[in-house]
Amino acid sequence: MRKKGWFTGMASLILVMGVLAGCSGGGNNGSNGDGSNAGSEASPSAGAPAASGDPVKLTMWGGVPPEAGPQAVVDAWNKEHPDIQVEYVRYVNDDEGNLKLDTAMMTGQDVDLFVNYTSSQATKRVEAGLALDLGTFGDYNIDEKMGPDAKGWQINGKYYGLPTTKSAYFVALNKDALDAAGLPVPKDWTWDELREYAKQLKAGGGYGFIQNLEPFVDPIDSVLTKDGYTKADGTSNLDHPLVKKWLETLNAMMEEDKSTPPLGEQLTSKMPVEQEFLSGKVPMLNIGAWLLRSSNNFTDFPRDFKIAFAPVPRLTDNADEYVARGGIGDYISINAKSKNQAAAWEFLKWYADGGMAPMAAGGRLPASKDADQDAALNSLLGDKADTYDKESMMYVLFDNRTPTFVRSLDQEVVDLRSQEYEKYFLGAQSVDETLAAMVARHNEYLKQTK
């Protein structure tokens, strides 16, 4: 079990804030914090209107802007269920936003349901006693509904949340630019091949390829998910040869080819990568399905080209050894301290089995086999269907059978390696120094968490 430094830090923060008095307002419904008694002793208001006749009120926290689907979802539910009314609260899915959510739950503020976007965040919340064990309900087979990819979200063999969306990561392509250059839309390619595309597609002083920073490091997680973050002797595997290849390939694209922006420039300028792509300035963008909520928005992001889609390229030469980030995501948990757990569970099941269809407008397709995928696809494309290359979209979203992974690396390791590779891309240390530093810091972390 990992040490509870995060939990201790959160408790200290709350003491400093002087708001512990609010904790009594949340109540834990007889739950033991780990969900071991959750749901069985829910309050009288948990599954039905309160005795006063007032509706049960639920609050759901998520990282998607309300106008990109969540508000339409809760509006539809509230219309159909006057006895259980849901309010959506948006938090920004970054360090500050996640801290805000965690603080709200630990201080007893109104949080009944919340969305986890990484398994490492979900694990921390489970360890802090903030997420309910959904197995206590017993009336919904998550494995059957969501398929084998759901197991990647289990924590200690249990589901403390419901994975609800198909997670798609891809390279978005300006198909008009590809056609002009005589380049086909790839269905399977390597980073070396993407590098060649980027060189051919860059125009004048512009770039050929740009990346959203959220999936920036996915290529090495793909390698290490397959081969292990640690070696057989238990020491760090962050100096894997393909980690070095990733570093050197991207650095060459930044410094030699000038086909992708230097990381330092992207960080300091807070480069709006979606706008760079949708304006036609950069013809290739590494991103996830949330691009669709911008690419469908012709008011703020007008464009005159068709978008095609390609899988994220692989570092390994052997396609059979490749796993891609994806699977299913948006892991929605019920607060273990919620006074309305049963009502939250009824909403969550409805949401997963089709109520979330409006979320597809922002690229979030339902994972449940019982959801209406045609309705979700119609919501996804709206009246903009003819502005996409539908064949490549369908392949990336539905037909690509490459095995997938969910990033589960501890946040501390994510942070330490990014601190070191940023030094490399900024020219402050060599590639070998970078690998050695990542390994040394990872090994130290592994010792501390034994």
Side-chain angles (χ1 to χ4, degrees):
M1 178 67 71
R2 294 189 292 111
K3 293 182 178 179
K4 304 298 189 298
W6 171 86
F7 180 79
T8 303
M10 279 294 300
S12 299
L13 173 64
I14 294 164
L15 284 168
V16 172
M17 293 171 63
V19 291
L20 277 175
C23 289
S24 61
N28 71 0
N29 260 353
S31 168
N32 293 329
D34 61 355
S36 58
N37 197 30
S40 59
E41 298 182 23
S43 70
S45 64
S52 65
D54 294 333
V56 173
K57 293 184 179 179
L58 301 175
T59 304
M60 176 181 178
W61 285 48
V64 179
E67 66 274 12
Q71 194 59 52
V73 171
V74 299
D75 286 348
W77 167 272
N78 289 342
K79 183 177 180 180
E80 297 174 12
H81 301 84
D83 55 331
I84 303 173
Q85 295 289 285
V86 180
E87 176 188 1
Y88 180 77
V89 175
R90 197 259 176 123
Y91 75 94
V92 179
N93 181 30
D94 58 13
D95 290 344
E96 183 178 349
N98 278 286
L99 180 60
K100 179 180 179 181
L101 168 60
D102 295 331
T103 303
M105 288 192 286
M106 294 188 72
T107 57
Q109 297 178 45
D110 289 334
V111 183
D112 296 291
L113 302 110
F114 57 94
V115 189
N116 307 277
Y117 295 98
T118 67
S119 64
S120 58
Q121 288 285 1
T123 298
K124 287 179 178 180
R125 289 161 182 156
V126 169
E127 291 175 347
L130 301 176
L132 187 67
D133 173 9
L134 299 186
T136 59
F137 291 110
D139 63 341
Y140 192 95
N141 190 321
I142 296 175
D143 293 320
E144 180 183 327
K145 291 268 191 175
M146 307 301 176
D149 284 339
K151 286 196 181 295
W153 285 97
Q154 284 188 339
I155 300 170
N156 298 325
K158 297 180 179 180
Y159 288 109
Y160 291 88
L162 189 57
T164 56
T165 64
K166 294 179 183 291
S167 295
Y169 296 85
F170 48 73
V171 177
L173 307 164
N174 181 326
K175 191 168 186 303
D176 295 11
L178 261 67
D179 290 345
L183 296 171
V185 176
K187 281 191 172 182
D188 173 59
W189 57 340
T190 65
W191 277 93
D192 288 336
E193 290 169 322
L194 179 140
R195 181 182 176 185
E196 290 304 314
Y197 268 55
K199 285 194 286 189
Q200 292 187 54
L201 288 169
K202 70 171 188 172
Y207 298 116
F209 175 64
I210 199 167
Q211 300 195 69
N212 183 285
L213 293 179
E214 201 284 336
F216 182 82
V217 75
D218 285 355
I220 61 175
D221 281 321
S222 168
V223 170
L224 297 176
T225 295
K226 185 75 172 177
D227 293 350
Y229 287 96
T230 56
K231 299 172 184 175
D233 62 1
T235 60
S236 175
N237 200 21
L238 292 183
D239 58 353
H240 190 291
L242 290 180
V243 174
K244 184 174 185 178
K245 179 177 176 62
W246 176 76
L247 291 167
E248 292 182 324
T249 299
L250 276 186
N251 195 57
M253 293 176 69
M254 294 174 190
E255 302 299 328
E256 296 174 22
D257 304 344
K258 312 291 186 185
S259 63
T260 198
L263 182 60
E265 175 188 336
Q266 189 167 344
L267 290 172
T268 56
S269 68
K270 300 185 184 299
M271 190 174 291
V273 295
E274 293 180 39
Q275 183 175 327
E276 292 289 295
F277 173 72
L278 294 172
S279 68
K281 291 181 182 178
V282 183
M284 295 195 298
L285 169 64
N286 182 19
I287 196 168
W290 63 89
L291 170 70
L292 277 296
R293 70 177 178 235
S294 297
S295 60
N296 281 336
N297 179 358
F298 274 52
T299 301
D300 296 323
F301 302 99
R303 59 183 167 88
D304 58 2
F305 62 88
K306 183 172 288 190
I307 297 177
F309 302 82
V312 177
R314 49 188 165 82
L315 286 165
T316 176
D317 290 330
N318 187 351
D320 293 337
E321 297 176 352
Y322 178 54
V323 294
R325 186 175 174 202
I328 53 180
D330 283 16
Y331 190 66
I332 303 180
S333 298
I334 295 174
N335 187 352
K337 299 178 183 295
S338 169
K339 294 179 291 185
N340 298 305
Q341 293 169 359
W345 178 236
E346 291 306 309
F347 171 77
L348 182 51
K349 290 186 294 182
W350 171 89
Y351 178 98
D353 282 348
M356 63 169 292
M359 299 291 289
R364 285 174 148 78
L365 295 170
S368 171
K369 69 179 181 61
D370 289 342
D372 186 341
Q373 295 293 355
D374 288 338
L377 195 58
N378 288 335
S379 178
L380 173 69
L381 298 177
D383 60 356
K384 305 296 190 300
D386 61 352
T387 71
Y388 297 98
D389 178 65
K390 191 171 182 181
E391 179 183 353
S392 62
M393 172 184 273
M394 296 298 289
Y395 178 76
V396 166
L397 295 182
F398 298 107
D399 300 332
N400 187 1
R401 300 303 179 206
T402 301
T404 59
F405 73 91
V406 174
R407 185 188 293 157
S408 57
L409 189 62
D410 291 349
Q411 189 61 43
E412 293 87 347
V413 183
V414 172
D415 292 342
L416 73 85
R417 71 179 182 185
S418 68
Q419 290 161 10
E420 297 303 329
Y421 71 62
E422 284 176 16
K423 295 177 189 176
Y424 170 64
F425 289 126
L426 292 171
Q429 62 188 16
S430 71
V431 66
D432 290 328
E433 290 170 336
T434 299
L435 294 169
M438 287 197 295
V439 165
R441 293 182 65 182
H442 189 203
N443 281 334
E444 184 61 29
Y445 175 78
L446 292 170
K447 290 178 185 177
Q448 293 173 0
T449 53
K450 280 185 179 179

